Amino acid sequence: MKKIVSLLTIFGICVNGWSTLTITDGLVAHYTFSGNLNDSSQSTNNLTVTSTGTSLGADRFGNSNNALRLGSTVDFAQSDKNISISGNGSHSVSVWIKSDYATNRWNTGTILKFGDESQIAGVNALKIELTASGRLTMWGQYADWNAQNLSDTFKSWTQIVYTYNGDLFSSAFYINGNGVPSSVSGLYQATTFNIVNTPLVIGKFGLGDGGYEDYGSGLPNGLVDELRVYNRALSSSEIQQIYTLESVPEPSTLSLLAVGLGGLAMMRRRRS
């Protein structure tokens, strides 16, 4: 959510389906990309860009400089501090993306990752894959969770949510607020994670780490927006609330002010 406007919170008013609802319990990172790469959560874990093809682009409502654009398979942004998710702790990721998929060696595009990919079940990497059916994967190094048959879903702006609640078989994927069929990979060797606390990387999977440099690298011409990371598993109702909140554009500051003033006027009339 790009703005918090207290007037609407006071009056409980919703404008064109947009509300001020925000779910902050367990929120360890929140990147709105509203003209910058700052983390709006209490962690203040801002992003840094060192690759030349990473920039700000238009978001899902056409607003310039309000989404992260990844120009090629080697472009990325990285958080300045560790993401504060480690071991087998529950966690959730919510993010909006738009991409024509990657065309690199592995036909895979990495949206984000955290953890150590050299360890079995030591990493979480959210990927989309160019397969016959279109696949969404949370790659955990032999602890993988997949959603199939998504076809060209991600060629338009799409909200993805992944949740993990202490066991691989408790994992779930949601697309645009709704749960989708998903299952564990047949190659799994672990059902619980042992994630190393590392920075968050958006985009390119490998950062000079040997054999993983190509595996699942980048999201060329990809756009990322409203990225949230939680240190707990979101409920299905919370996921629907986030989707409802983020799927409509924010009203302008003037319209918010007008609604707030209208609410004050109504209260005064009732008192008189």
Side-chain angles (χ1 to χ4, degrees):
M1 186 170 57
K2 313 271 185 183
K3 301 173 185 173
I4 304 295
V5 182
S6 59
L7 280 174
L8 290 187
T9 303
I10 294 171
F11 296 112
I13 296 171
C14 180
V15 180
N16 295 327
W18 185 92
S19 75
T20 57
L21 171 68
T22 183
I23 298 171
T24 57
D25 183 24
L27 186 66
V28 296
H30 184 196
Y31 304 104
T32 65
F33 304 108
S34 302
N36 57 55
L37 303 178
N38 294 342
D39 174 17
S40 60
S41 77
Q42 292 184 352
S43 302
T44 61
N45 190 4
N46 299 337
L47 298 171
T48 296
V49 170
T50 57
S51 58
T52 57
T54 304
S55 60
L56 292 175
D59 69 6
R60 57 202 181 281
F61 307 118
N63 299 314
S64 300
N65 299 319
N66 271 263
L68 184 70
R69 182 181 181 277
L70 302 164
S72 74
T73 59
V74 298
D75 290 319
F76 66 96
Q78 180 173 331
S79 65
D80 296 336
K81 301 180 289 188
N82 290 343
I83 198 63
S84 299
I85 293 176
S86 61
N88 192 41
S90 299
H91 52 273
S92 303
V93 172
S94 174
V95 63
W96 287 78
I97 74 159
K98 180 182 179 183
S99 174
D100 287 335
Y101 297 93
T103 55
N104 59 47
R105 170 183 162 194
W106 294 92
N107 296 323
T108 305
T110 302
I111 303 167
L112 60 89
K113 77 111 177 180
F114 50 87
D116 183 355
E117 58 271 19
S118 69
Q119 298 185 25
I120 291 177
V123 62
N124 269 194
L126 185 63
K127 303 167 178 287
I128 56 175
E129 299 188 6
L130 181 62
T131 64
S133 62
R135 182 167 71 172
L136 175 64
T137 297
M138 180 56 85
W139 189 85
Q141 179 64 305
Y142 295 107
D144 310 337
W145 192 257
N146 306 308
Q148 309 277 2
N149 302 314
L150 297 173
S151 189
D152 294 333
T153 299
F154 307 112
K155 291 185 178 181
S156 301
W157 277 107
T158 304
Q159 186 215 31
I160 299 168
V161 177
Y162 166 78
T163 65
Y164 173 81
N165 198 19
D167 184 271
L168 188 61
F169 290 94
S170 72
S171 300
F173 274 125
Y174 296 77
I175 300 294
N176 293 335
N178 298 309
V180 295
S182 51
S183 61
V184 69
S185 167
L187 297 175
Y188 76 92
Q189 296 181 16
T191 60
T192 57
F193 282 103
N194 185 24
I195 299 171
V196 176
N197 190 16
T198 68
L200 172 74
V201 178
I202 305 173
K204 182 182 175 184
F205 182 76
L207 295 177
D209 41 11
Y212 293 98
E213 188 69 22
D214 290 329
Y215 189 80
S217 62
L219 199 66
N221 297 315
L223 289 162
V224 177
D225 199 10
E226 287 290 352
L227 170 58
R228 299 169 180 254
V229 181
Y230 292 84
N231 62 9
R232 65 182 181 91
L234 293 169
S235 69
S236 58
S237 61
E238 289 175 320
I239 291 167
Q240 184 61 55
Q241 288 170 351
I242 292 173
Y243 174 71
T244 300
L245 170 67
E246 295 178 346
S247 61
V248 293
E250 300 170 47
S252 67
T253 302
L254 287 177
S255 63
L256 290 173
L257 181 60
V259 171
L261 292 175
L264 285 172
M266 290 174 62
M267 289 182 67
R268 288 176 177 174
R269 282 198 296 269
R270 288 175 181 173
R271 290 175 179 174
S272 60

